[in-house]
Amino acid sequence: MADAETSILETSMADIAVMLLNKLRGRPAMAPLTGPPVDPTLVRPAPSLSERDASIEKRRLLTMLPVTQEFVKGILAWVRAQGVPCILGETHRSLAEQIEMSKQGKTAVPEGQTGWHQYGRAFHLIIYKPGTRQLDPEAYRIVGNEVRRRGGEWLGDTLLKTPKGEMFQDLAHFEYHPGLHLSSYRGTALAKQELAMTNKRAARYG
C-alpha cells in the first residue's frame, strides 16, 4: 500500500512540476515541455495521420487484447491533444521474434520465455524530438507519467538487464497489465487464454 501511495504522490508531483513550468513559460498547463512556447489560449493538436499510417495503426491496435487497445487509444488521443506527434510502434511480437530479440540483447525477457508483447499487453510509442528522427526523452517522461497515472507501465526511465547481464534502456516500451505480474501470470489459465487470443489476432491483422 505504501508503494502505491508513493507512486501516486510522485506522479502528482510530476504533474504539478509540468504545470508550473508551463505556466512560467506561457504554455497550456499540461502541454509538453519540449518545443517553442505557444499561445496558451489555443489548442494545437498534432497533425492527423496519413491514410496509410492510420491503416497501419489500426492493424497494430487489433493485434492486442481489446482491453489494451482501449488503453492505447486513450493514450494516443491524450498525447496528440498535447500537440505531440506520436506513432504507435510495435505491438504484438511472436515468440520467434522474442527469441531473436533476446539473442541480440534487446530485451530483458530470457530466451524462450514469453513477455507482455506475446500476450497483447505491451506496445511501443515513437516520439521524436521536433524536426529529428531521435527519440525525445523529455517527452517520454511526460507521457510515461500519464501512462502510469492511468494504471499502465513505462520502462523507459529504468535501466533493464538482458539475460547476458548487459544494461540497456527502452524509452519507447509501455505495458498495460494492472494487478498482473509476469512471473506469476505466465503459467495461468488466463495467460494461456490471452496468448491464444493474441496469436489469433496477430495472424489475422499482423
Side-chain angles (χ1 to χ4, degrees):
M1 185 66 176
D3 290 342
E5 291 174 350
T6 300
S7 177
I8 292 172
L9 179 60
E10 288 175 349
T11 298
S12 299
M13 292 300 291
D15 288 342
I16 291 171
V18 169
M19 293 172 68
L20 289 174
L21 284 170
N22 277 330
K23 183 176 181 180
L24 290 173
R25 296 169 65 190
R27 299 166 62 90
M30 291 309 295
L33 297 180
T34 56
V38 298
D39 184 339
T41 64
L42 300 178
V43 176
R44 297 186 179 180
S48 299
L49 296 176
S50 68
E51 186 175 338
R52 177 179 178 276
D53 288 342
S55 177
I56 292 172
E57 180 173 291
K58 182 178 180 179
R59 291 201 310 274
R60 286 176 175 167
L61 281 167
L62 289 171
T63 65
M64 296 186 290
L65 295 176
V67 65
T68 315
Q69 290 178 39
E70 293 308 310
F71 181 82
V72 176
K73 286 178 184 177
I75 291 298
L76 287 171
W78 182 86
V79 175
R80 289 164 179 166
Q82 313 309 306
V84 178
C86 180
I87 301 169
L88 178 61
E90 184 180 24
T91 50
H92 175 268
R93 182 187 295 163
S94 70
L95 182 57
E97 290 169 333
Q98 184 68 52
I99 290 172
E100 186 59 31
M101 293 285 286
S102 181
K103 289 179 178 178
Q104 295 176 14
K106 296 180 179 180
T107 177
V109 178
E111 186 176 338
Q113 292 193 23
T114 48
W116 290 118
H117 278 290
Q118 283 78 65
Y119 295 107
R121 289 181 172 272
F123 58 98
H124 290 179
L125 297 180
I126 310 303
I127 306 172
Y128 294 123
K129 292 180 181 179
T132 76
R133 299 289 287 182
Q134 298 177 336
L135 297 182
D136 189 338
E138 191 173 7
Y140 274 110
R141 281 193 290 273
I142 296 170
V143 176
N145 282 334
E146 180 65 14
V147 167
R148 288 169 175 165
R149 188 185 72 80
R150 298 183 183 210
E153 300 286 342
W154 174 52
L155 304 187
D157 59 353
T158 303
L159 279 178
L160 305 175
K161 185 183 291 186
T162 71
K164 295 181 180 179
E166 300 167 337
M167 307 303 292
F168 73 103
Q169 190 174 17
D170 197 352
L171 269 178
H173 184 90
F174 297 84
E175 301 169 354
Y176 185 65
H177 45 83
L180 300 174
H181 300 279
L182 188 56
S183 58
S184 56
Y185 163 85
R186 278 193 182 109
T188 64
L190 176 63
K192 294 176 182 177
Q193 177 185 352
E194 292 187 340
L195 182 61
M197 181 187 299
T198 305
N199 283 337
K200 184 176 181 179
R201 287 176 167 273
R204 183 173 183 180
Y205 303 110

